[in-house]
Amino acid sequence: MPINERTNSSSRSSFDPTDETVNNVNSVVTSVTESNSSFTASGLNLSEIQGYYGLLTDFYFGGGATETVIDLSNVNTWVNVDIDIASAGLFDNRPQDMKDAQAIGHDGDGSASNPIVFKLEGLNIRSFANFRASMAFEPEDDEGQLESRLLFNRHSGANPSNDFPIEDVSLSMFNGADVDYVTEPMLSFFIGDTIDTNGVGDAGKCKFQIKSNVTGIVKLRALTWYINK
């Protein structure tokens, strides 16, 4: 018999579907159970390690988005984006440690002079998050570009201590002026040792800003942070 046939025959004859290794494969799978409408894995409630914080405008409740005008005075400048949070538009499903640290997850009322600033207190250096803004931009000129960023404030005693951004080019607008260009920029970040929880009331924060090289109107629909602790 050729060697390859002998090898294949031996391999087939040694396979036993009743082998203890096969039968016990489920023993290495983590048991996930449902209890009181929340999932637990190895006894840990997922609400303790995952969650989100959403701020929605009236756009999602039959109304309109919140508008921020970009005029000649703030073209090519990072601008705080206004948001009027709908009466039923706050969705606070942060991990429990964040709720325990801060009853409300943000500072500010959403106006230009008092923007929404998201609090990172309750997170540690193993945490990470994704941020998404839902919006449209109506440019007054063709061939414009819109950039988005999160601007982070560090906690006390951090070195360096200056604010830092995470940026993205969200729109390149080549289909004419005076039309809505819809975009949902997504920015990912980890909780480094200058924005983690340093003490009670002392942790990093971040806020959303945009920059356009043409005049126009930002129409903000929602801001959402997706959190993994």
Side-chain angles (χ1 to χ4, degrees):
M1 180 182 294
I3 294 176
N4 63 331
E5 290 186 15
R6 184 181 302 113
T7 303
N8 291 340
S9 175
S10 174
S11 175
R12 285 194 298 270
S13 63
S14 65
F15 176 75
D16 182 356
T18 64
D19 186 89
E20 182 178 359
T21 302
V22 176
N23 290 337
N24 291 334
V25 117
N26 287 336
S27 67
V28 300
V29 178
T30 302
S31 175
V32 179
T33 61
E34 183 173 358
S35 174
N36 297 325
S37 300
S38 62
F39 287 94
T40 59
S42 300
L44 180 64
N45 192 319
L46 288 185
S47 67
E48 298 176 8
I49 59 174
Q50 294 180 340
Y52 67 90
Y53 194 75
L55 303 175
L56 278 60
T57 68
D58 283 330
F59 177 86
Y60 292 102
F61 300 93
T66 304
E67 297 185 351
T68 301
V69 175
I70 305 300
D71 57 26
L72 291 175
S73 69
N74 52 22
V75 164
N76 289 317
T77 302
W78 287 106
V79 175
N80 297 323
V81 183
D82 296 354
I83 181 170
D84 295 325
I85 303 170
S87 58
L90 172 59
F91 292 84
D92 186 0
N93 291 289
R94 293 171 295 157
Q96 191 60 49
D97 282 353
M98 297 186 75
K99 289 185 175 183
D100 292 342
Q102 292 285 345
I104 303 297
H106 70 274
D107 292 325
D109 60 15
S111 63
S113 60
N114 192 18
I116 296 297
V117 179
F118 184 64
K119 304 173 184 178
L120 301 175
E121 187 171 352
L123 300 180
N124 56 49
I125 58 173
R126 291 180 295 277
S127 307
F128 59 95
N130 293 309
F131 165 81
R132 185 183 70 183
S134 177
M135 62 182 178
F137 186 71
E138 181 184 347
E140 293 181 347
D141 298 300
D142 195 11
E143 299 185 3
Q145 180 173 282
L146 182 77
E147 299 175 67
S148 303
R149 78 175 183 181
L150 282 177
L151 184 64
F152 290 84
N153 311 127
R154 307 178 198 256
H155 59 61
S156 68
N159 185 21
S161 60
N162 57 301
D163 297 345
F164 69 93
I166 294 177
E167 303 174 359
D168 180 56
V169 176
S170 303
L171 282 174
S172 294
M173 298 166 282
F174 296 103
N175 293 323
D178 302 317
V179 294
D180 279 357
Y181 292 80
V182 178
T183 182
E184 292 195 342
M186 179 78 80
L187 298 169
S188 300
F189 60 96
F190 65 91
I191 307 301
D193 60 6
T194 65
I195 60 173
D196 65 339
T197 304
N198 191 48
V200 177
D202 186 13
K205 299 178 181 180
C206 61
K207 65 179 178 179
F208 177 60
Q209 296 182 317
I210 64 94
K211 182 172 68 172
S212 172
N213 65 356
V214 296
T215 57
I217 302 173
V218 181
K219 302 175 182 180
L220 185 61
R221 302 173 179 180
L223 302 174
T224 310
W225 285 264
Y226 302 94
I227 307 153
N228 284 269
K229 186 178 184 300

